[in-house]
Amino acid sequence: MTSSTIFSGVSSIPLPAATTGANSPLTLRDMLFFLRMRWLWIAATTIAFLVMAGSYVLTAEPTFVASTQLLIFPQVSGSETQRAFAEDAFIEGQLEIARSSDVVGGTVTALDLDTDPEFVDQAPSLQDRAKNWLTGFSSQLDTPSQEATGKGTREAQPEGERLHDWATATLLNMMEIRRIGSSTVIEISAAATTPQKAVDIADTLARQYIQKNISMKASAARQYSDWLAKFITEQQRGLAEAASALAGFTSNPRDQFKLAELQSATDARRTLYESTLNQLTEAKQRITYPVSDATIVSRATLPLSKARPRSTLILAFAAAVGLGLGLALAMIRHAGDRRIIRPHQIAEAAGLPFVTLLATSKRASNRHPARFLAAGTDSSTAAAYPDIPGMAELSATVVGLRRKRRVVIGIVAIDPGSGASTIACELAVLSSISGARTLLIDAAAQKSSLSKSIAPYSSTGLIDVLDNGELIQTAALPLTPTLKFLPLGDVEAVTPAIRLSSRRTQLSFADLKKEFDAIFVDISAFSASPDANAIAPELDGVLVVTSHGRTSIDDTMRIIDTMRNVGAEILGAIINHAPKRMQS
């Protein structure tokens, strides 16, 4: 720090500067401080997300899911490996059949879903639109009443068919068919707004699938039967020709080998005909009495609770997102906050030897120290003095400075309203209570709150003493046996701080130090008056007062550098109006 030349016999007190270095690692104390300071941001963001999630959960229409299970009988043959592969292929084929438009459309028709408002009288939700866009399903209709058109190659469908197609597409989005593990059991699940409707849809889908399976097998058997009928006709004609040739040759046998050949051909024809006839009979039986490849093993039951929306999951997700976003916003706000909230901000940036936190005290604010002194204070009532939390530590530091040398200390605030006058008064009272002969000087020309509170009707003051030093005996008002107060007086054009810096006054700090052990000077706020720059070099040191959560660290550094440039000794800083929790 720059050493200054002090006039009127006052010398500066050099103090070791606080060591500054690289940023310290993040500690648990830092994290707890961050949470204490920014918990409102985190809580507000989390609560906002929880409110939105809760509103969605309360207003969203509940969805119930019912499931029906079917056992598949794969019709496969071959080796073990071939059978396993064939079974997988067979079951996958059955799953696709269950998802077919015939099965779904049949369910829509059986349950009259094309007249159900849940399936035809609503536009796709935002979630469905996003899902369809992501999956490339861009051909879904915007409304059920909108005409289904292609790219100019298809004509408009009838109203009933459009509603049926819309209900079918909606049901496809509300159903799920899956294979359970590696077994031959498949599960058909359906969602609806009521439990009974979900059960009806799941069971109907299963029945429609079985009917489709039976219909496909019957159709295949019918085609096979038709082919066998044609084949039998051909076999009958061939058998008749073979029998006729055998009969004609038998009547006039000339070659026994030829006879045996004709007999063998006729027998083969007859055997083939009989076998084909049996297959035709079996095929007709399969047409008349078809058997499905699947059977229902577990019908759907009424669901006990809704499947969607999942209230617990949604609320937990909203809380996690809100908490994460709240932490992010709080960290951004914390990193960009240039207000003074912690002592190390000033200590590290300005290299100050000490920074003290003073908490807000309701007891002290209800009983202003200046009014307390004006009412009269002596040693018997000193214990009742309304001390500000943290002031005892600050007073002890000042006492330590006084043990080395009698000091003249100025108290200046960065901005008005930071409580510099109150702190000056507190320090003076505590100093006098300790037994030191103390003088409190009001040099705050912009707002002389001390003079107005302690000596509102005083006829002489600091202004008069600057012109006539002998008036100090009458101008300095005794408040206690060890404490005197020098009010401001009537300020005209030039403030007392400016006059003191001119070295042309009758007041000498050297003479005052012979009479008093400690002198505290209340100075106007730096942002409101240039008095601090003028009088600071005349003092042994200056205490800078800031307001917690209001004063900017940038303004504080600029003012400290300015006062150092004019030769002022910055003893330390005070963060006033800090919350009580900051004391810990």
Side-chain angles (χ1 to χ4, degrees):
M1 290 183 287
T2 305
S3 177
S4 60
T5 302
I6 305 300
F7 302 99
S8 302
V10 180
S11 59
S12 63
I13 300 175
L15 296 176
T19 58
T20 59
N23 293 332
S24 57
L26 186 65
T27 63
L28 179 60
R29 184 185 182 91
D30 295 329
M31 291 187 286
L32 293 177
F33 174 79
F34 164 75
L35 293 177
R36 286 199 305 269
M37 292 300 300
R38 309 298 175 186
W39 67 268
L40 190 59
W41 283 70
I42 301 172
T45 307
T46 305
I47 292 174
F49 272 83
L50 286 175
V51 169
M52 291 188 291
S55 301
Y56 170 76
V57 169
L58 293 176
T59 58
E61 192 173 22
T63 301
F64 299 88
V65 176
S67 302
T68 301
Q69 294 183 348
L70 299 94
L71 179 63
I72 306 296
F73 304 102
Q75 305 296 324
V76 296
S77 60
S79 64
E80 195 69 26
T81 304
Q82 292 174 340
R83 284 171 58 87
F85 180 79
E87 279 186 3
D88 292 339
F90 182 83
I91 293 177
E92 288 296 328
Q94 297 302 309
L95 293 177
E96 295 302 319
I97 293 173
R99 297 189 187 99
S100 66
S101 58
D102 290 343
V103 174
V104 181
T107 302
V108 171
T109 302
L111 298 177
D112 293 330
L113 298 181
D114 50 0
T115 61
D116 191 334
E118 181 182 349
F119 290 86
V120 295
D121 287 346
Q122 64 177 6
S125 64
L126 182 61
Q127 180 180 359
D128 292 335
R129 289 179 181 274
K131 179 180 178 181
N132 293 335
W133 180 79
L134 291 174
T135 56
F137 186 75
S138 59
S139 61
Q140 185 173 357
L141 302 178
D142 290 334
T143 59
S145 60
Q146 186 179 3
E147 291 187 350
T149 57
K151 295 182 180 181
T153 60
R154 295 185 299 170
E155 297 181 355
Q157 295 175 314
E159 181 70 16
E161 187 175 350
R162 284 200 302 271
L163 293 176
H164 185 274
D165 291 346
W166 174 258
T168 301
T170 303
L171 182 56
L172 276 172
N173 290 332
M174 299 174 65
M175 58 176 285
E176 181 184 3
I177 302 175
R178 66 184 184 93
R179 181 182 182 183
I180 299 180
S182 58
S183 67
T184 58
V185 177
I186 65 173
E187 183 180 72
I188 300 177
S189 301
T193 55
T194 61
Q196 187 59 50
K197 187 184 294 185
V199 171
D200 294 341
I201 294 174
D203 287 342
T204 304
L205 283 170
R207 288 194 296 269
Q208 289 293 324
Y209 161 69
I210 292 176
Q211 291 179 10
K212 177 66 175 178
N213 184 268
I214 292 175
S215 175
M216 291 176 60
K217 295 188 69 174
S219 177
R222 187 175 295 106
Q223 293 177 2
Y224 183 52
S225 176
D226 293 340
W227 180 82
L228 286 178
K230 295 178 181 179
F231 187 66
I232 283 178
T233 302
E234 294 176 0
Q235 292 300 320
Q236 284 179 336
R237 185 169 54 252
L239 179 59
E241 291 175 356
S244 176
L246 178 60
F249 190 82
T250 303
S251 61
N252 187 17
R254 292 184 299 275
D255 187 352
Q256 293 297 322
F257 293 101
K258 182 64 175 178
L259 178 62
E261 181 181 353
L262 292 175
Q263 184 66 42
S264 176
T266 301
D267 293 340
R269 290 276 186 175
R270 183 177 292 106
T271 302
L272 181 60
Y273 172 76
E274 292 175 352
S275 174
T276 304
L277 186 61
N278 292 333
Q279 294 181 17
L280 178 60
T281 303
E282 294 176 358
K284 289 182 177 181
Q285 288 178 350
R286 287 197 296 270
I287 296 173
T288 306
Y289 306 103
V291 179
S292 174
D293 292 328
T295 183
I296 297 177
V297 296
S298 176
R299 294 188 178 276
T301 58
L302 288 174
L304 300 178
S305 61
K306 63 181 181 180
R308 292 184 297 271
R310 300 177 181 177
S311 303
T312 304
L313 182 62
I314 291 175
L315 292 176
F317 179 75
V321 173
L323 183 62
L325 183 59
L327 283 171
L329 293 176
M331 286 189 288
I332 294 174
R333 179 71 177 92
H334 196 72
D337 193 355
R338 300 296 296 168
R339 298 174 302 169
I340 295 175
I341 54 178
R342 300 192 74 179
H344 74 82
Q345 289 178 280
I346 309 178
E348 294 179 358
L352 298 178
F354 74 90
V355 178
T356 301
L357 276 171
L358 296 183
T360 302
S361 172
K362 293 183 179 179
R363 186 164 60 95
S365 60
N366 292 335
R367 196 174 179 187
H368 195 278
R371 292 192 294 269
F372 187 85
L373 291 176
T377 303
D378 54 24
S379 59
S380 62
T381 60
Y385 184 75
D387 190 19
I388 296 177
M391 182 60 70
E393 292 79 0
L394 177 60
S395 177
T397 303
V398 174
V399 169
L401 298 176
R402 195 183 72 236
R403 288 196 184 105
K404 292 185 177 180
R405 187 179 303 174
R406 300 172 186 174
V407 292
V408 180
I409 299 177
I411 293 87
V412 58
I414 301 297
D415 300 304
S418 298
S421 298
T422 302
I423 294 173
C425 189
E426 291 272 1
L427 287 174
V429 171
L430 293 177
S431 176
S432 67
I433 292 175
S434 68
R437 294 170 299 170
T438 306
L439 174 64
L440 175 62
I441 301 176
D442 184 5
Q446 294 295 323
K447 185 180 179 183
S448 56
S449 58
L450 291 179
S451 296
K452 293 177 181 178
S453 300
I454 300 176
Y457 305 108
S458 176
S459 59
T460 58
L462 177 60
I463 296 295
D464 303 294
V465 175
L466 294 178
D467 295 328
N468 185 0
E470 296 181 356
L471 294 177
I472 186 67
Q473 302 299 327
T474 58
L477 306 177
L479 302 180
T480 70
T482 57
L483 175 60
K484 288 186 178 182
F485 172 66
L486 180 59
L488 178 64
D490 297 328
V491 180
E492 296 179 353
V494 182
T495 64
I498 301 295
R499 294 188 60 185
L500 281 170
S501 65
S502 67
R503 295 176 291 176
R504 299 291 183 181
T505 65
Q506 297 296 316
L507 179 65
S508 171
F509 282 124
D511 294 337
L512 292 177
K513 290 173 65 176
K514 295 177 182 178
E515 182 180 356
F516 298 99
D517 301 322
I519 302 172
F520 297 95
V521 183
D522 181 25
I523 308 171
S524 298
F526 194 95
S527 61
S529 172
D531 288 356
N533 276 341
I535 196 174
E538 307 297 327
L539 310 176
D540 287 343
V542 176
L543 293 176
V544 179
V545 180
T546 64
S547 183
H548 180 275
R550 194 182 72 176
T551 306
S552 169
I553 183 66
D554 300 319
D555 292 342
T556 304
M557 287 302 304
R558 176 178 57 83
I559 291 172
I560 289 177
D561 291 340
T562 300
M563 286 194 291
R564 282 174 173 170
N565 289 336
V566 298
E569 185 75 22
I570 308 300
L571 301 178
I574 301 169
I575 302 177
N576 200 15
H577 304 143
K580 279 192 174 182
R581 66 176 184 271
M582 293 292 298
Q583 294 294 318
S584 60

